[in-house]
Amino acid sequence: MADSRGLLVRLTALFGRQVEGVQAAISQVGAKFGGDTWAGLSGKIQDTVEDVLWSSYSYATFGLDAAPHFIRPKAPRKNRLHRAATTMSGVVSGFAGLPGAFVDIPFTTATILRSIAEVARDSGEDLASEETRRACLEVLAFGSPSETGEAAESGYWAARLGVSHLTINLLIRSAAGRFGLILSEKLMAQLVPVAGAVTGGLLNYSFTDYYQSMAKVHFCLRALERRTGDSEAVRLSFETMVRAARDRRRIGRRRRSAPAILLPAR
């Protein structure tokens, strides 16, 4: 969980501030690009994501069960091909503008979902089961790269409990609403002149990498719960490790920011 907060993920905070400025500027242009139009666009993006989540699980799991157990990796892999594919999609959509975005959004959503499903398969999940399908969708409902590290860490269990009772219909709506909002913000960042293609590629790479990391955390914890039969003990151990990781980060920041002490020459 701590390692998922990499450099690219932290950079999305800079894009978040940029998005707010661009959105404010667009809202001042007039009715054509005003707040109502933006709200309608955000809703359309979320509807697109919801449609993809309903229809793409079969694609996401196609062929994954074909690999025999003895050739599967000992630990879930982070598929570089998926990151490369979504990065290229983001670059192309950045050049194409708004029409390209509505090709990029379904492709990126489906590719990230397939990457999550591959982590689930490598973690010993049965991809044909409804429970595993729910677990893959849950990953998209957990936090976002734009949140601070501690917010994402402390919110994991709360988010997991929040979606555990939902029907598959409501779970898909919840995941689409959360992930669709992230993609809406990405689209705003891509409207920045000149940098749209670079921004689209960078954010797609960051999102794919982040959700791959979140999937590894989620399915590792599920595997531990199955193995031990004690989900409460797993939760307590996880929270202890998260606190230790936070403390290490705080100590590292203090050491980097502390002034050097010069000893007097003899």
Side-chain angles (χ1 to χ4, degrees):
M1 179 70 78
D3 289 343
S4 72
R5 315 300 308 175
L7 175 61
L8 287 177
V9 170
R10 294 196 297 270
L11 281 175
T12 59
L14 299 177
F15 286 110
R17 290 194 292 271
Q18 187 181 52
V19 165
E20 291 176 1
V22 172
Q23 185 172 349
I26 289 177
S27 296
Q28 296 172 1
V29 171
K32 186 176 180 181
F33 297 103
D36 292 341
T37 301
W38 170 242
L41 184 60
S42 298
K44 187 173 182 180
I45 289 173
Q46 292 185 25
D47 289 343
T48 301
V49 172
E50 186 173 336
D51 289 342
V52 171
L53 294 182
W54 271 115
S55 61
S56 66
Y57 188 73
S58 296
Y59 156 75
T61 58
F62 178 77
L64 293 185
D65 282 330
H69 285 274
F70 68 89
I71 66 170
R72 293 179 186 175
K74 293 182 179 180
R77 58 196 145 198
K78 294 175 67 173
N79 194 314
R80 294 184 179 90
L81 181 59
H82 293 155
R83 297 200 298 274
T86 57
T87 300
M88 184 58 65
S89 178
V91 171
V92 172
S93 70
F95 278 118
L98 190 59
F102 284 97
V103 175
D104 172 56
I105 288 169
F107 176 79
T108 297
T109 302
T111 303
I112 289 177
L113 183 59
R114 180 173 177 82
S115 194
I116 291 170
E118 187 168 291
V119 174
R121 188 277 310 271
D122 291 345
S123 301
E125 300 276 348
D126 177 11
L127 295 180
S129 74
E130 189 72 5
E131 184 183 358
T132 301
R133 183 188 181 194
R134 287 181 56 89
C136 290
L137 293 169
E138 285 171 359
V139 174
L140 292 176
F142 294 152
S144 73
S146 60
E147 291 180 346
T148 62
E150 293 194 9
E153 292 156 6
S154 61
Y156 170 79
W157 288 102
R160 185 171 172 181
L161 289 173
V163 300
S164 62
H165 66 284
L166 299 180
T167 64
I168 194 71
N169 182 32
L170 291 177
L171 176 59
I172 286 178
R173 288 188 179 181
S174 176
R178 194 68 180 267
F179 191 59
L181 178 61
I182 295 168
L183 295 181
S184 299
E185 294 175 348
K186 181 180 85 79
L187 176 60
M188 289 296 294
Q190 287 182 241
L191 295 178
V192 178
V194 180
V198 175
T199 301
L202 181 62
L203 289 178
N204 273 14
Y205 181 96
S206 178
F207 292 164
T208 307
D209 185 69
Y210 172 76
Y211 284 108
Q212 286 174 337
S213 297
M214 286 297 295
K216 289 179 70 174
V217 171
H218 185 46
F219 289 110
C220 173
L221 291 174
R222 282 173 56 86
L224 286 171
E225 288 169 344
R226 289 194 300 271
R227 191 182 312 158
T228 64
D230 190 346
S231 59
E232 181 64 15
V234 173
R235 184 181 67 82
L236 292 174
S237 296
F238 174 77
E239 291 176 349
T240 299
M241 294 174 70
V242 166
R243 284 195 296 270
R246 285 183 194 162
D247 291 341
R248 287 196 299 272
R249 288 204 299 269
R250 290 192 184 109
I251 292 171
R253 285 196 294 267
R254 284 200 295 268
R255 286 176 176 172
R256 289 193 295 271
S257 61
I261 300 175
L262 299 178
L263 298 176
R266 293 183 178 179

